[in-house]
Amino acid sequence: MPFSRLSRRLFVAAAALTAAGIYACSERDATAPSDQAALARGSGQGPDLRAAIAAKNKYAGQLLAKEGVVGTAVGLGSSGQAVIKVYLTRAGAAAVARSLDGVAVETQVTGELRAILPTAKPGGGGGGGETDPTKRFTRPVPIGVSAGNLNDLVYLRTVCTTGTLGARLKGANSQYYALSNNHVFAVENQAQLGDPIIQPGQADNGCRSTAADQIGTLANYVPLDFSRTATNVVDAAAAAVTTQTVGSATPVNGYGSPSSSILTATLNMAVEKYGRTTVLTHGTVTGLDASVKIRYGKGNTATFVHQIIITGTNGSAFSDSGDSGSLIVTDNSTHNPVGLLFAGSTSTTIANPIGDVLAQLGQRLGTTLSIQ
């Protein structure tokens, strides 16, 4: 997996702090993620986050156990200081201390955090227009458009779904892959390896897609763990594709091509994404190292750790149902990949750190992955 210089420095800092015992909590993973949020000044941007992250991790389990609490992260307070953010389903949903181990606590109403896709019943039709990401595109298809599993109606029985094809990857094995979420390509662990992956997704084609819509086959996915003690880090899947079926850039109304050099998210980082539902949107990273409870389509809840929290610019929505699988990149001329969008609410978006996505998928595919 290719790391930027910043990512390498942050990884070294994280490893040093872990060895020093900063993560003294039950939530610590047996294998630390390879792309954790900045735990120290690192790049020289913003306040020292170490005390806030240590306190957040220490109390995350207790906070998430409270009714009405859906997540907690480290962010910045109104005066720019590091704070612990606690995300609530509604105002006053839970009583939360004003500080934890000397670190200020701020609550924020996000509503329930979900990873639920748009659904359709058999019948109906798809979208239209040259830049409509729900329509069928000439092959090779761009990234950021509707895609899914041809057999999802078989697995879900009464409805079909769709999500977003986030990026094209290349393995050290010279194989190309399409990147999206487990719940988009692998139907929440139900799919079989080798399943046809199609564009557009079934819900954008009235559940009537055929093998003619295929762009690849499901190569592997990181299983979702819905157990009470789970600490998921990524919701990710990859389909084996070719350069003849999947391209490397968004449609013409998007940001273009992402860089192959990934970055670690930092607070106040400006980001953007192109997705099936809300198309091109802009936002800001407002939370790091988040622990969140995510509800899935069958009503199951999965706990995730080390996540990125993003808020839309000027109060606008950064994402909506169907944008799952979108690649999140820096909002500048380089478009460095930062995260993989997989969940959220009307006001908040949750993303997996892209370094962890590439590492965990690469391990399952038996190769090193890069964005191409």
Side-chain angles (χ1 to χ4, degrees):
M1 175 182 64
F3 279 85
S4 66
R5 294 176 181 174
L6 173 60
S7 298
R8 290 191 183 96
R9 292 199 299 269
L10 295 177
F11 179 77
V12 171
L17 289 171
T18 301
I22 294 297
Y23 286 99
C25 66
S26 60
E27 203 176 273
R28 178 181 172 184
D29 298 341
T31 303
S34 59
D35 194 22
Q36 287 196 37
L39 302 184
R41 293 183 185 275
S43 63
Q45 298 177 6
D48 191 327
L49 305 180
R50 288 174 292 186
I53 287 179
K56 189 276 299 181
N57 282 341
K58 180 178 178 181
Y59 295 101
Q62 296 176 38
L63 290 169
L64 291 178
K66 289 178 176 285
E67 185 71 25
V69 173
V70 290
T72 181
V74 169
L76 297 180
S78 55
S79 61
Q81 80 279 19
V83 300
I84 297 170
K85 297 223 174 197
V86 178
Y87 305 112
L88 305 176
T89 55
R90 57 179 174 79
V96 179
R98 293 185 178 181
S99 68
L100 293 170
D101 290 353
V103 180
V105 175
E106 292 186 0
T107 59
Q108 179 179 332
V109 176
T110 61
E112 184 180 52
L113 301 175
R114 306 184 300 164
I116 298 174
L117 299 172
T119 60
K121 294 183 178 180
E130 293 183 358
T131 57
D132 179 357
T134 69
K135 80 178 189 76
R136 189 184 196 278
F137 283 82
T138 301
R139 276 54 175 158
V141 304
I143 64 173
V145 300
S146 172
N149 189 306
L150 177 64
N151 297 331
D152 65 352
L153 184 60
V154 175
Y155 301 125
L156 299 174
R157 298 180 183 277
T158 59
V159 295
C160 60
T161 66
T162 190
T164 296
L165 189 168
R168 191 179 72 187
L169 310 177
K170 185 177 182 181
N173 57 1
S174 297
Q175 170 67 56
Y176 285 90
Y177 301 94
L179 171 65
S180 193
N181 296 139
N182 173 318
H183 72 277
V184 175
F185 281 178
V187 200
E188 295 181 28
N189 301 339
Q190 297 182 80
Q192 299 294 314
L193 299 185
D195 274 356
I197 300 301
I198 55 174
Q199 194 288 315
Q202 282 275 37
D204 288 324
N205 203 24
C207 304
R208 297 176 300 189
S209 296
T210 67
D213 298 304
Q214 183 173 344
I215 56 172
T217 58
L218 182 63
N220 220 315
Y221 60 90
V222 179
L224 294 167
D225 187 346
F226 295 104
S227 68
R228 295 183 62 182
T229 58
T231 52
N232 297 278
V233 178
V234 305
D235 178 341
V241 298
T242 69
T243 56
Q244 285 71 51
T245 58
V246 175
S248 60
T250 66
V252 294
N253 60 336
Y255 60 80
S257 297
S259 169
S260 61
S261 178
I262 67 173
L263 287 180
T264 299
T266 56
L267 290 174
N268 284 337
M269 175 184 277
V271 294
E272 61 185 340
K273 76 97 187 66
Y274 189 97
R276 173 262 181 197
T277 305
T278 56
V279 195
L280 182 65
T281 57
H282 307 271
T284 304
V285 174
T286 56
L288 295 176
D289 204 45
S291 301
V292 290
K293 295 186 295 187
I294 306 296
R295 187 167 75 87
Y296 278 79
K298 285 192 166 185
N300 295 319
T301 297
T303 299
F304 282 77
V305 297
H306 308 304
Q307 301 302 291
I308 304 166
I309 308 295
I310 297 165
T311 304
T313 301
N314 298 324
S316 61
F318 186 75
S319 65
D320 203 346
S321 179
D323 288 326
S324 288
S326 302
L327 185 69
I328 297 171
V329 301
T330 55
D331 193 354
N332 55 25
S333 60
T334 56
H335 311 307
N336 299 94
V338 172
L340 180 67
L341 192 158
F342 82 105
S345 66
T346 56
S347 64
T348 305
T349 294
I350 317 295
N352 309 143
I354 193 63
D356 295 321
V357 170
L358 298 181
Q360 292 200 25
L361 272 180
Q363 183 177 29
R364 299 194 69 84
L365 292 167
T367 187
T368 301
L369 296 173
S370 60
I371 294 174
Q372 296 286 319

